[in-house]
Amino acid sequence: MKRLLLCFATGTLLLFSSCTTKLKITDVAYQSIRKVEKADANSRAVTPETGAVIAVSPVIDDYGNVKLVVRNLSDKIMVIDRTKSFFIDYSGQSTMYYDPTIRTSTLTTSGTEGATVNLGAIGSALGIGGAVGTALSGINVGGSNTSGVSKTTYSIDQPVVSIGPNSYIDMGREFSIPAGKEFFKSLYEQNPSVDISRPQILPADSYCTFSVSVCYSLDNGETFNSITSNYYANSLLQAHVVNNGKINGPLRKIYSEKSDALEEPWYIIYFNNNLSDFKDSYYINNLVDYQ
Amino acid sequence: MKKYIYNTFVLAMVVLMASCNSMVNLTVNGTPGTKIYTPEKDLIGTIDNSGKAKVRFESGTAFLLSTAPGYENYIPFGLDYKNHHKGDALKVGGYFAYTIFIAGLAAVSTGLIAGEDGITAIGGITMLAGVAGWVGCAMPGMKHHFAHGYKYFNGIRSNEDLFVVRRDFGTGMKMTGKQK
């Protein structure tokens, strides 16, 4: 009986030991983004201390998604024309921050199985009348004719928004740039054995450039000014882990090649690994431009 | 009976307390006076005259920062690790706790059927101990420590020597770091 128990315990141990996930960090990567300095010395000198009225900050997360935050540094109400404010990507394609698409989301609750959405409600909300509206009112989408309660929410973008004195807004739309975790993962998959060492990249040679342009007014829309800020990735380094678990070597290599790595306004350090709860990235975001 | 209750209670508390702790203690080697920070730049230790600092940080951290004595430039250093097999022990512990729970349940059932209050009480306490062990093994702290089977190397160097590299190259100036 004792032998049987011992065999059972050993078998259980062996079974479980084969299931444990081991930590494997394959490479350490680093990337930084800077503002392209303006040629005009007067523009470079503008800060909140020297009378700047607007600050624009691209907020880039660790997946390379860029949002734009605009801060009104003045004591007046600031009006932003989103139809004349843009994100310009690497290829030069310009996209305005005003999104004319009307979005709908419908929540339906019903006493019986099956959901029903009456398109007539959407038609009337969109101002569609006449024959088309009548036709729509007769159309039900869903699997049941049983009456239910539908709540449809429409979200329509605003072409012009105001910012209160000394406050900020998020410009709403999000854009993607070649930066962050997914970018690093794709680099590793393309080249799983060769290190990348580009510690100083000039704007003209950069693999990632983008611009933001914001049109604003401080006199209730009488006159408009615009601020345009250009950004570029000024470094890209990736060092592979040669001996499993020895991650200080690759990190030393990166820091030796870029000794100002932790002083860049935006940077990310990434440890490409196989576990979900290991902290794989660390990033700092201090990109800002003033006018 | 009292001794049994006491031992069971102590065991359950130890398991629960250990499971709530997701911090790691580590010794870092380097030049005396070097300060050690978390990636969020919170000071967690200073290397003493023996060239060692005991630091404590959250498990799952890949690197820490150091500043050379007298300077405020942060230098990163990676936390080397080694895989081990303690994660298996955690899984076995979880199933062991489950077995204790079932044994307690059986004792409670037997006590209730036989009308023996003593057996019912012991069974109830055993069930509680099983639940505590089970919960403990499933807590994030325990998982951080053991479930993924890695352990940080003790005695990693803080890379403050890389500050010298920066000092001697670049502009050719002797010091480029920000002196305090």
Side-chain angles (χ1 to χ4, degrees):
Chain A
M1 183 66 179
K2 274 183 186 175
R3 273 189 189 171
L4 191 68
L5 274 172
L6 194 66
C7 287
F8 178 73
T10 313
T12 312
L13 261 172
L14 286 172
L15 182 70
F16 292 140
S17 64
S18 60
C19 302
T20 309
T21 309
K22 306 296 181 198
L23 173 61
K24 186 170 174 63
I25 299 177
T26 54
D27 60 289
V28 182
Y30 171 91
Q31 181 182 29
S32 59
I33 294 174
R34 271 187 193 176
K35 182 177 72 180
V36 178
E37 289 300 338
K38 288 165 185 161
D40 178 11
N42 291 333
S43 298
R44 283 206 303 269
V46 176
T47 63
E49 290 76 29
T50 57
V53 292
I54 185 171
V56 292
S57 301
V59 180
I60 309 168
D61 68 13
D62 53 352
Y63 285 91
N65 298 315
V66 189
K67 278 190 160 192
L68 184 63
V69 171
V70 178
R71 182 175 285 274
N72 175 9
L73 302 172
S74 75
D75 295 330
K76 298 174 186 169
I77 293 169
M78 181 178 276
V79 176
I80 304 286
D81 187 343
R82 297 176 72 232
T83 63
K84 293 187 178 105
S85 299
F86 306 97
F87 177 88
I88 301 147
D89 72 10
Y90 179 82
S91 66
Q93 186 182 346
S94 167
T95 310
M96 66 180 168
Y97 274 95
Y98 171 63
D99 181 2
T101 312
I102 300 167
R103 291 182 196 82
T104 59
S105 59
T106 305
L107 178 71
T108 306
T109 51
S110 172
T112 58
E113 285 183 16
T116 306
V117 179
N118 190 312
L119 292 183
I122 298 173
S124 62
L126 293 176
I128 303 169
V132 177
T134 309
L136 280 174
S137 65
I139 299 170
N140 287 316
V141 177
S144 167
N145 285 327
T146 312
S147 63
V149 179
S150 282
K151 188 183 176 186
T152 305
T153 309
Y154 300 91
S155 117
I156 301 166
D157 217 0
Q158 299 297 314
V160 176
V161 289
S162 300
I163 315 177
N166 297 304
S167 57
Y168 68 90
I169 58 159
D170 175 346
M171 289 288 279
R173 297 190 78 172
E174 198 172 81
F175 299 92
S176 188
I177 59 167
K181 297 178 185 185
E182 298 303 323
F183 175 62
F184 286 136
K185 274 184 189 167
S186 67
L187 283 178
Y188 177 76
E189 281 161 15
Q190 284 167 25
N191 234 333
S193 58
V194 181
D195 287 356
I196 298 171
S197 177
R198 296 182 72 190
Q200 302 294 341
I201 303 172
L202 296 172
D205 303 327
S206 181
Y207 58 92
C208 167
T209 59
F210 67 93
S211 304
V212 291
S213 182
V214 175
C215 184
Y216 68 97
S217 168
L218 283 169
D219 54 9
N220 205 23
E222 293 290 318
T223 56
F224 278 90
N225 291 315
S226 72
I227 173 173
T228 301
S229 305
N230 306 307
Y231 301 89
Y232 72 109
N234 68 319
S235 72
L236 178 64
L237 297 109
Q238 190 174 32
H240 293 84
V241 178
V242 180
N243 298 317
N244 189 33
K246 305 279 187 191
I247 59 170
N248 190 37
L251 191 58
R252 274 182 71 92
K253 184 174 186 282
I254 287 172
Y255 190 80
S256 301
E257 290 174 8
K258 187 164 175 60
S259 59
D260 60 348
L262 304 188
E263 288 156 34
E264 293 287 354
W266 188 91
Y267 68 82
I268 181 168
I269 303 174
Y270 177 66
F271 297 84
N272 191 359
N273 74 85
N274 60 330
L275 300 183
S276 59
D277 58 350
F278 191 83
K279 289 173 197 163
D280 59 357
S281 69
Y282 179 78
Y283 71 102
I284 286 283
N285 194 111
N286 288 319
L287 289 171
V288 65
D289 194 15
Y290 300 104
Q291 190 174 59
Chain B
M1 175 71 174
K2 273 185 185 173
K3 196 175 177 184
Y4 176 77
I5 294 170
Y6 176 78
N7 287 343
T8 310
F9 180 75
V10 168
L11 181 71
M13 286 301 108
V14 166
V15 170
L16 277 173
M17 281 173 79
S19 64
C20 293
N21 183 8
S22 64
M23 302 299 280
V24 177
N25 293 310
L26 202 71
T27 301
V28 178
N29 295 336
T31 310
T34 299
K35 289 185 171 151
I36 311 295
Y37 302 82
T38 63
E40 291 77 29
K41 293 178 181 151
D42 296 324
L43 180 67
I44 51 171
T46 304
I47 294 175
D48 61 18
N49 288 334
S50 68
K52 293 180 192 302
K54 283 189 175 157
V55 296
R56 189 174 160 80
F57 56 89
E58 210 171 318
S59 181
T61 302
F63 72 106
L64 296 174
L65 301 170
S66 69
T67 54
Y71 290 87
E72 58 184 25
N73 297 74
Y74 294 99
I75 300 155
F77 61 99
L79 297 166
D80 289 350
Y81 65 90
K82 189 181 177 183
N83 283 312
H84 60 64
H85 298 281
K86 285 187 178 171
D88 310 330
L90 180 71
K91 286 187 178 177
V92 172
Y95 281 91
F96 182 67
Y98 179 69
T99 309
I100 290 176
F101 173 79
I102 296 295
L105 185 66
V108 167
S109 307
T110 309
L112 286 173
I113 292 165
E116 292 284 343
D117 290 345
I119 294 172
T120 308
I122 289 171
I125 292 159
T126 309
M127 275 174 70
L128 283 176
V131 169
W134 201 5
V135 169
C137 289
M139 290 292 264
M142 289 295 263
K143 283 188 173 174
H144 269 298
H145 277 304
F146 304 122
H148 296 309
Y150 66 87
K151 186 183 178 185
Y152 292 108
F153 267 119
N154 230 0
I156 183 100
R157 284 203 66 84
S158 58
N159 282 358
E160 78 278 359
D161 56 307
L162 290 182
F163 182 71
V164 178
V165 172
R166 183 164 182 212
R167 192 176 56 180
D168 293 343
F169 294 93
T171 61
M173 292 170 66
K174 199 67 185 167
M175 296 287 177
T176 57
K178 292 176 197 164
Q179 194 158 17
K180 281 179 185 169

